[in-house]
Amino acid sequence: MSVTKSEVLRLQASEDIVRVRQAVRAWMVERGFSLVDQTKMVTAASELARNAVDHGGGGTMRMEALVDGGRRGIRLVFEDHGPGIPDMALAMQDGFSTGGGLGLGLGGAKRLVNEFAIHSQPGEGTRIAVTRWR
Amino acid sequence: MRDFLAGTSRSRVTLGFSPSETASFVFSLKQPLFARLREELAKDAAALAEEMWAATVLLDKLGLHTTEVFQQGREEVIKRQQLELLELSTPVVKIWEGILVLPLIGTLDSARTQVVMENLLQNIVDTGSDIAIIDITGVPTVDTLVAQHLLKTVSAAKLMGAQCIISGIRPQIAQTMVHLGVAFGDVVTKASLFDALAFAFRQIGVVISKQQTRS
Amino acid sequence: MDRIPILKLGDFLLVTIQVDMHDRLVMTLQDDLTARVVQDKATGVLIDISSLEMVDSFIGRMLGNIAAMTRALGAEAVVVGMRPAVAITIVELGLSLHDVRTALNVDKGMEMLRTLVEAPAGEDGHERHEK
């Protein structure tokens, strides 16, 4: 598997979340993903970017175009140096309905992508990598 | 250079050349190229050998590139045709103002079901329909994945402001669903398309009455 | 500061969201809309999201909040024009919008508002049946 293109976007303010959405959409369109796949990835990116900005104290998103054998993919790596996630099980739970709360929506974001990898330690920050394949 | 070759490869395909012919065209450049190299480096055998090898490697790569492009093109044609076939085999029928029917026939697999469902939802928007009936009378078995797609489609339609009901659920399918723990919850399901249609008419406020025949 | 325009259509308010909203714009819309409901004594609010290519949990919560707030102010809210790709994604995401009324397009949304607003005088406003 190889990375054929890569770009890093900063995640500091809410305007950056919009920029992330647009960048991910553009790459997905360029790589020929279906409309539904595009929407799922952009939505997942929006959720994860917001987490980094709101809970992670800001960070970065690295966007990578992947090629693995015959298939093409896009990977997004969200990284922040925030407080980390103390209770992973809780964070992966769905908690959208009333807003606020501890539900970080990671479970939902996971369902929108093909591959989901998370690494987080309290005090060390969080790193989440999500991938969608065509 | 790659783009030029890709363009050449594609235009030659439309002209009816086989990929080997196009690649051969690239390889044929070797002869004049080697002849030229021999001329220029006649005095230096080592350099000549090196340049000839470099030229060979380069031309081989370029020739292979044309076949790769050809292959990619073929794959895209196949994908497109598959999609078209899918659309043809699962037509969405506007059976009445505001009511759509999608009669599914044959075995459903996860991928096919997804495409069909997305198509149905777009159809609902395009026709401004209030109700879509997914009829699975012609589907022998439904596995959990397919059932989940059906249910997700029902939920998505509801979110959009339309109603999706499922008809043609045979006793065996109903049993399988229950055994698999699939929760139908507040999804409206009917045993027959007939019942589903009657329900749909009621929902949109249409009453069918028989004309009085003159005696 | 950019704002999303709110149009008055008789007793109803129409909001057409056409831009990719950043979080602050979302909050501003919530505030503006509730203020206008009171100011214009609106009985219904129509939110047209047919241009939205994506609805994430933040925007979803906004829609839920707007629905709840307008109801508290004695009006009704209907969200119209949700795109299929967006609906499919929301279902997958697990976002619950069960307290938000939706309609396929502006026409149907208006129809729905009219029916809701003309409801019998007995309705007290906070016990609503599922749509």
Side-chain angles (χ1 to χ4, degrees), chain B residues 118 121-122 124-125 128-130 152 155-156 158-162, chain C residues 82-84 87-88 90-92 97 102-105 108 130-131:
Chain B
E118 287 168 30
L121 292 175
Q122 188 58 51
I124 292 175
V125 173
S129 298
D130 304 297
K152 282 183 196 167
S155 300
K158 186 173 178 197
L159 270 174
M160 287 162 50
Chain C
M82 187 181 292
R83 294 189 181 180
I88 291 170
I90 290 179
V91 169
E92 200 76 62
L97 291 175
T102 55
L104 218 52
N105 51 45
K108 290 191 194 277
E130 276 301 332
K131 62 176 163 74

Side-chain angles (χ1 to χ4, degrees), chain A residues 15 21 46-47 99 111, chain C residues 20 23-24 56-57 61 92:
Chain A
E15 285 83 2
R21 287 185 214 147
S46 190
E47 298 291 333
R111 280 191 293 275
Chain C
D20 200 348
D23 294 2
R24 247 178 305 119
D56 63 7
S57 62
R61 268 199 294 274
E92 200 76 62

Side-chain angles (χ1 to χ4, degrees), chain C residues 45-110:
Chain C
V45 173
L46 213 56
I47 305 165
D48 183 358
I49 60 169
S50 54
S51 294
L52 276 191
E53 296 185 329
M54 178 224 67
V55 168
D56 63 7
S57 62
F58 195 78
I59 296 175
R61 268 199 294 274
M62 169 201 72
L63 294 174
N65 287 346
I66 291 179
M69 289 193 277
T70 46
R71 204 170 297 134
L73 291 168
E76 289 294 340
V78 179
V79 172
V80 308
M82 187 181 292
R83 294 189 181 180
V86 171
I88 291 170
T89 304
I90 290 179
V91 169
E92 200 76 62
L93 189 57
L95 190 57
S96 158
L97 291 175
H98 65 260
D99 52 350
V100 178
R101 292 185 207 273
T102 55
L104 218 52
N105 51 45
V106 173
D107 285 341
K108 290 191 194 277
M110 289 290 227

